Amino acid sequence: MSEQECAYYRSLYEVVMCINSSLEPATVLHAIAEQGAKAVNAKACSIRLLDRQGKTLLAGTSHGLSKGYLRKGTVEVAKSRIDQETLSGKVVQIKDAGSDPMFQYPEAAREEGIASVMALPLTVDGRHIGVMRLYCSNIREFSQSEINFATAIANLSAMAIENARLHQALRTDYELLTAYEYTMHE
């Protein structure tokens, strides 16, 4: 087994352990972003989720990006070709985000030191609920093994997000039921 394959297994192990140890979405997503970036030697990773209307990608978490870059502006699906293609279910690579018209904020990418980007869909039950992006500071192409690993991490992210949503819905239902029963017996 190569050193890179060992790094993938270690990262996958860390992600799964975090998912199993916490129902707190912020904690789980941050661990996923950190491990995803480390495993493919990326500068940073972000996870964004679609809003209810499916028009905007909202910040979920990130690792390795500055606050200034995260505040660059709203990520509108209609203005971001990379996200349009990713949300159709494709893994998209951009060699140079600072000059590629698919990228919504090329100047912000140059200022942040971002060159190459890989974007992957977050998919649950056939629905695309968001996007995971891996950012590199150098111009490069991701290998097929990196794409396969990142796809596994993106799929785990989507499952963790869905589990957190279901847990929150159950908690809300339980609290409403408890409040109703408490009111009935007073």
Side-chain angles (χ1 to χ4, degrees):
M1 184 179 299
S2 73
E3 190 173 313
Q4 186 62 47
E5 289 170 329
C6 288
Y8 290 160
Y9 282 115
R10 277 193 301 273
S11 294
L12 207 51
Y13 174 79
E14 293 296 327
V15 166
V16 171
M17 290 302 290
C18 185
I19 290 171
N20 282 336
S21 67
S22 177
L23 285 172
E24 181 59 42
T27 303
V28 172
L29 291 179
H30 185 76
I32 289 170
E34 183 178 1
Q35 292 300 322
K38 283 181 182 176
V40 297
N41 296 317
K43 166 187 172 68
C45 179
S46 70
I47 296 174
R48 291 186 170 267
L49 303 175
L50 271 175
D51 68 356
R52 291 183 192 267
Q53 292 79 33
K55 294 181 178 180
T56 303
L57 284 166
L58 306 171
T61 194
S62 68
H63 170 76
L65 295 172
S66 70
K67 288 181 181 176
Y69 183 75
L70 294 172
R71 293 183 188 138
K72 65 188 177 303
T74 305
V75 178
E76 298 176 52
V77 176
K79 294 180 179 176
S80 175
R81 283 190 25 226
I82 186 174
D83 293 316
Q84 291 170 14
E85 286 196 26
T86 305
L87 290 169
S88 74
K90 297 177 186 171
V91 175
V92 181
Q93 289 194 56
I94 292 181
K95 272 191 172 180
D96 186 2
S99 64
D100 195 307
M102 290 183 71
F103 213 73
Q104 186 179 358
Y105 296 101
E107 188 172 319
R110 281 191 296 273
E111 291 173 5
E112 184 71 5
I114 294 170
S116 297
V117 178
M118 176 170 39
L120 305 108
L122 301 176
T123 307
V124 175
D125 295 330
R127 294 176 295 116
H128 305 297
I129 61 170
V131 171
M132 183 174 90
R133 287 185 185 178
L134 292 161
Y135 304 91
C136 295
S137 56
N138 57 327
I139 292 178
R140 65 183 267 201
E141 284 188 38
F142 292 91
S143 69
Q144 189 58 51
S145 65
E146 289 172 319
I147 294 169
N148 292 343
F149 174 76
T151 299
I153 295 293
N155 288 335
L156 283 172
S157 301
M159 286 190 304
I161 292 164
E162 189 67 8
N163 285 345
R165 287 179 176 169
L166 291 173
H167 177 74
Q168 182 62 42
L170 284 173
R171 178 189 285 168
T172 302
D173 287 350
Y174 176 76
E175 289 171 357
L176 288 172
L177 181 63
T178 304
Y180 176 76
E181 287 182 5
Y182 183 74
T183 303
M184 292 291 291
H185 297 290
E186 274 191 7

PDB file of all heavy atoms in Angstrom, residues 69-87:
ATOM      1  N   TYR A  69     -11.883  35.941   2.511  1.00  0.00           N
ATOM      2  CA  TYR A  69     -12.336  35.179   1.350  1.00  0.00           C
ATOM      3  C   TYR A  69     -13.756  34.658   1.571  1.00  0.00           C
ATOM      4  O   TYR A  69     -14.582  34.697   0.658  1.00  0.00           O
ATOM      5  CB  TYR A  69     -11.394  34.006   1.060  1.00  0.00           C
ATOM      6  CG  TYR A  69     -11.797  33.258  -0.183  1.00  0.00           C
ATOM      7  CD1 TYR A  69     -11.552  33.786  -1.442  1.00  0.00           C
ATOM      8  CD2 TYR A  69     -12.472  32.044  -0.112  1.00  0.00           C
ATOM      9  CE1 TYR A  69     -11.953  33.116  -2.595  1.00  0.00           C
ATOM     10  CE2 TYR A  69     -12.871  31.371  -1.240  1.00  0.00           C
ATOM     11  CZ  TYR A  69     -12.606  31.914  -2.482  1.00  0.00           C
ATOM     12  OH  TYR A  69     -13.019  31.259  -3.616  1.00  0.00           O
ATOM     13  N   LEU A  70     -14.037  34.203   2.776  1.00  0.00           N
ATOM     14  CA  LEU A  70     -15.376  33.668   3.055  1.00  0.00           C
ATOM     15  C   LEU A  70     -16.450  34.751   2.962  1.00  0.00           C
ATOM     16  O   LEU A  70     -17.611  34.459   2.715  1.00  0.00           O
ATOM     17  CB  LEU A  70     -15.405  33.016   4.433  1.00  0.00           C
ATOM     18  CG  LEU A  70     -14.537  31.757   4.559  1.00  0.00           C
ATOM     19  CD1 LEU A  70     -14.465  31.297   6.005  1.00  0.00           C
ATOM     20  CD2 LEU A  70     -15.079  30.640   3.673  1.00  0.00           C
ATOM     21  N   ARG A  71     -16.038  36.023   3.138  1.00  0.00           N
ATOM     22  CA  ARG A  71     -16.993  37.133   3.055  1.00  0.00           C
ATOM     23  C   ARG A  71     -16.993  37.800   1.684  1.00  0.00           C
ATOM     24  O   ARG A  71     -17.499  38.905   1.528  1.00  0.00           O
ATOM     25  CB  ARG A  71     -16.645  38.182   4.115  1.00  0.00           C
ATOM     26  CG  ARG A  71     -16.852  37.699   5.510  1.00  0.00           C
ATOM     27  CD  ARG A  71     -16.554  38.801   6.506  1.00  0.00           C
ATOM     28  NE  ARG A  71     -16.573  38.276   7.844  1.00  0.00           N
ATOM     29  CZ  ARG A  71     -15.695  38.585   8.784  1.00  0.00           C
ATOM     30  NH1 ARG A  71     -14.739  39.462   8.539  1.00  0.00           N
ATOM     31  NH2 ARG A  71     -15.762  38.054   9.974  1.00  0.00           N
ATOM     32  N   LYS A  72     -16.443  37.146   0.680  1.00  0.00           N
ATOM     33  CA  LYS A  72     -16.301  37.754  -0.653  1.00  0.00           C
ATOM     34  C   LYS A  72     -17.640  38.087  -1.296  1.00  0.00           C
ATOM     35  O   LYS A  72     -17.714  38.947  -2.144  1.00  0.00           O
ATOM     36  CB  LYS A  72     -15.515  36.827  -1.569  1.00  0.00           C
ATOM     37  CG  LYS A  72     -16.245  35.511  -1.862  1.00  0.00           C
ATOM     38  CD  LYS A  72     -15.369  34.548  -2.609  1.00  0.00           C
ATOM     39  CE  LYS A  72     -16.053  33.234  -2.845  1.00  0.00           C
ATOM     40  NZ  LYS A  72     -16.547  32.521  -1.674  1.00  0.00           N
ATOM     41  N   GLY A  73     -18.677  37.409  -0.913  1.00  0.00           N
ATOM     42  CA  GLY A  73     -19.999  37.663  -1.473  1.00  0.00           C
ATOM     43  C   GLY A  73     -20.821  36.392  -1.526  1.00  0.00           C
ATOM     44  O   GLY A  73     -20.330  35.303  -1.241  1.00  0.00           O
ATOM     45  N   THR A  74     -22.068  36.558  -1.891  1.00  0.00           N
ATOM     46  CA  THR A  74     -22.998  35.441  -1.974  1.00  0.00           C
ATOM     47  C   THR A  74     -22.638  34.531  -3.144  1.00  0.00           C
ATOM     48  O   THR A  74     -22.329  35.017  -4.227  1.00  0.00           O
ATOM     49  CB  THR A  74     -24.427  35.984  -2.169  1.00  0.00           C
ATOM     50  OG1 THR A  74     -24.708  36.899  -1.108  1.00  0.00           O
ATOM     51  CG2 THR A  74     -25.437  34.869  -2.165  1.00  0.00           C
ATOM     52  N   VAL A  75     -22.678  33.238  -2.920  1.00  0.00           N
ATOM     53  CA  VAL A  75     -22.455  32.284  -4.004  1.00  0.00           C
ATOM     54  C   VAL A  75     -23.814  31.953  -4.605  1.00  0.00           C
ATOM     55  O   VAL A  75     -24.590  31.183  -4.039  1.00  0.00           O
ATOM     56  CB  VAL A  75     -21.729  31.016  -3.508  1.00  0.00           C
ATOM     57  CG1 VAL A  75     -21.555  30.024  -4.657  1.00  0.00           C
ATOM     58  CG2 VAL A  75     -20.393  31.373  -2.881  1.00  0.00           C
ATOM     59  N   GLU A  76     -24.093  32.599  -5.734  1.00  0.00           N
ATOM     60  CA  GLU A  76     -25.367  32.397  -6.420  1.00  0.00           C
ATOM     61  C   GLU A  76     -25.175  31.342  -7.508  1.00  0.00           C
ATOM     62  O   GLU A  76     -24.317  31.503  -8.372  1.00  0.00           O
ATOM     63  CB  GLU A  76     -25.846  33.703  -7.029  1.00  0.00           C
ATOM     64  CG  GLU A  76     -26.108  34.771  -5.987  1.00  0.00           C
ATOM     65  CD  GLU A  76     -26.482  36.096  -6.619  1.00  0.00           C
ATOM     66  OE1 GLU A  76     -27.398  36.095  -7.459  1.00  0.00           O
ATOM     67  OE2 GLU A  76     -25.837  37.094  -6.280  1.00  0.00           O
ATOM     68  N   VAL A  77     -25.992  30.307  -7.454  1.00  0.00           N
ATOM     69  CA  VAL A  77     -25.863  29.198  -8.387  1.00  0.00           C
ATOM     70  C   VAL A  77     -25.985  29.696  -9.831  1.00  0.00           C
ATOM     71  O   VAL A  77     -25.218  29.271 -10.699  1.00  0.00           O
ATOM     72  CB  VAL A  77     -26.909  28.096  -8.089  1.00  0.00           C
ATOM     73  CG1 VAL A  77     -26.847  26.989  -9.126  1.00  0.00           C
ATOM     74  CG2 VAL A  77     -26.703  27.542  -6.679  1.00  0.00           C
ATOM     75  N   ALA A  78     -26.881  30.623 -10.088  1.00  0.00           N
ATOM     76  CA  ALA A  78     -27.087  31.133 -11.447  1.00  0.00           C
ATOM     77  C   ALA A  78     -25.854  31.850 -11.997  1.00  0.00           C
ATOM     78  O   ALA A  78     -25.659  31.917 -13.210  1.00  0.00           O
ATOM     79  CB  ALA A  78     -28.283  32.083 -11.482  1.00  0.00           C
ATOM     80  N   LYS A  79     -24.989  32.362 -11.113  1.00  0.00           N
ATOM     81  CA  LYS A  79     -23.797  33.092 -11.552  1.00  0.00           C
ATOM     82  C   LYS A  79     -22.520  32.258 -11.467  1.00  0.00           C
ATOM     83  O   LYS A  79     -21.454  32.756 -11.810  1.00  0.00           O
ATOM     84  CB  LYS A  79     -23.626  34.361 -10.704  1.00  0.00           C
ATOM     85  CG  LYS A  79     -24.718  35.364 -10.901  1.00  0.00           C
ATOM     86  CD  LYS A  79     -24.492  36.576 -10.037  1.00  0.00           C
ATOM     87  CE  LYS A  79     -25.584  37.602 -10.247  1.00  0.00           C
ATOM     88  NZ  LYS A  79     -25.437  38.757  -9.344  1.00  0.00           N
ATOM     89  N   SER A  80     -22.615  31.060 -11.003  1.00  0.00           N
ATOM     90  CA  SER A  80     -21.441  30.222 -10.797  1.00  0.00           C
ATOM     91  C   SER A  80     -21.563  28.941 -11.626  1.00  0.00           C
ATOM     92  O   SER A  80     -22.234  27.997 -11.231  1.00  0.00           O
ATOM     93  CB  SER A  80     -21.301  29.882  -9.308  1.00  0.00           C
ATOM     94  OG  SER A  80     -20.243  28.979  -9.111  1.00  0.00           O
ATOM     95  N   ARG A  81     -20.875  28.916 -12.769  1.00  0.00           N
ATOM     96  CA  ARG A  81     -20.977  27.733 -13.644  1.00  0.00           C
ATOM     97  C   ARG A  81     -20.383  26.495 -12.977  1.00  0.00           C
ATOM     98  O   ARG A  81     -20.863  25.384 -13.193  1.00  0.00           O
ATOM     99  CB  ARG A  81     -20.303  28.014 -14.981  1.00  0.00           C
ATOM    100  CG  ARG A  81     -21.186  28.889 -15.850  1.00  0.00           C
ATOM    101  CD  ARG A  81     -20.740  29.038 -17.287  1.00  0.00           C
ATOM    102  NE  ARG A  81     -19.941  27.978 -17.818  1.00  0.00           N
ATOM    103  CZ  ARG A  81     -18.818  28.181 -18.520  1.00  0.00           C
ATOM    104  NH1 ARG A  81     -18.395  29.389 -18.787  1.00  0.00           N
ATOM    105  NH2 ARG A  81     -18.130  27.156 -19.005  1.00  0.00           N
ATOM    106  N   ILE A  82     -19.338  26.658 -12.170  1.00  0.00           N
ATOM    107  CA  ILE A  82     -18.753  25.493 -11.491  1.00  0.00           C
ATOM    108  C   ILE A  82     -19.800  24.843 -10.572  1.00  0.00           C
ATOM    109  O   ILE A  82     -19.923  23.620 -10.526  1.00  0.00           O
ATOM    110  CB  ILE A  82     -17.465  25.868 -10.706  1.00  0.00           C
ATOM    111  CG1 ILE A  82     -16.815  24.592 -10.132  1.00  0.00           C
ATOM    112  CG2 ILE A  82     -17.728  26.883  -9.623  1.00  0.00           C
ATOM    113  CD1 ILE A  82     -15.465  24.834  -9.478  1.00  0.00           C
ATOM    114  N   ASP A  83     -20.582  25.664  -9.881  1.00  0.00           N
ATOM    115  CA  ASP A  83     -21.593  25.109  -8.980  1.00  0.00           C
ATOM    116  C   ASP A  83     -22.798  24.566  -9.749  1.00  0.00           C
ATOM    117  O   ASP A  83     -23.399  23.577  -9.332  1.00  0.00           O
ATOM    118  CB  ASP A  83     -22.014  26.168  -7.958  1.00  0.00           C
ATOM    119  CG  ASP A  83     -20.868  26.492  -7.017  1.00  0.00           C
ATOM    120  OD1 ASP A  83     -20.195  25.551  -6.551  1.00  0.00           O
ATOM    121  OD2 ASP A  83     -20.616  27.680  -6.774  1.00  0.00           O
ATOM    122  N   GLN A  84     -23.139  25.178 -10.879  1.00  0.00           N
ATOM    123  CA  GLN A  84     -24.230  24.637 -11.696  1.00  0.00           C
ATOM    124  C   GLN A  84     -23.888  23.217 -12.157  1.00  0.00           C
ATOM    125  O   GLN A  84     -24.712  22.311 -12.059  1.00  0.00           O
ATOM    126  CB  GLN A  84     -24.472  25.528 -12.916  1.00  0.00           C
ATOM    127  CG  GLN A  84     -25.060  26.874 -12.585  1.00  0.00           C
ATOM    128  CD  GLN A  84     -25.053  27.806 -13.789  1.00  0.00           C
ATOM    129  OE1 GLN A  84     -24.853  27.391 -14.924  1.00  0.00           O
ATOM    130  NE2 GLN A  84     -25.262  29.090 -13.530  1.00  0.00           N
ATOM    131  N   GLU A  85     -22.668  23.050 -12.659  1.00  0.00           N
ATOM    132  CA  GLU A  85     -22.262  21.713 -13.127  1.00  0.00           C
ATOM    133  C   GLU A  85     -22.143  20.729 -11.965  1.00  0.00           C
ATOM    134  O   GLU A  85     -22.540  19.575 -12.086  1.00  0.00           O
ATOM    135  CB  GLU A  85     -20.942  21.789 -13.895  1.00  0.00           C
ATOM    136  CG  GLU A  85     -21.127  22.387 -15.268  1.00  0.00           C
ATOM    137  CD  GLU A  85     -19.940  22.130 -16.168  1.00  0.00           C
ATOM    138  OE1 GLU A  85     -19.215  21.144 -15.975  1.00  0.00           O
ATOM    139  OE2 GLU A  85     -19.753  22.950 -17.081  1.00  0.00           O
ATOM    140  N   THR A  86     -21.603  21.190 -10.851  1.00  0.00           N
ATOM    141  CA  THR A  86     -21.451  20.310  -9.696  1.00  0.00           C
ATOM    142  C   THR A  86     -22.816  19.861  -9.179  1.00  0.00           C
ATOM    143  O   THR A  86     -23.015  18.693  -8.864  1.00  0.00           O
ATOM    144  CB  THR A  86     -20.658  21.021  -8.581  1.00  0.00           C
ATOM    145  OG1 THR A  86     -19.416  21.464  -9.120  1.00  0.00           O
ATOM    146  CG2 THR A  86     -20.397  20.088  -7.418  1.00  0.00           C
ATOM    147  N   LEU A  87     -23.762  20.805  -9.123  1.00  0.00           N
ATOM    148  CA  LEU A  87     -25.100  20.459  -8.623  1.00  0.00           C
ATOM    149  C   LEU A  87     -25.897  19.609  -9.614  1.00  0.00           C
ATOM    150  O   LEU A  87     -26.968  19.114  -9.281  1.00  0.00           O
ATOM    151  CB  LEU A  87     -25.871  21.726  -8.258  1.00  0.00           C
ATOM    152  CG  LEU A  87     -25.320  22.421  -7.007  1.00  0.00           C
ATOM    153  CD1 LEU A  87     -25.935  23.817  -6.851  1.00  0.00           C
ATOM    154  CD2 LEU A  87     -25.564  21.569  -5.763  1.00  0.00           C
TER     155      LEU A  87
END
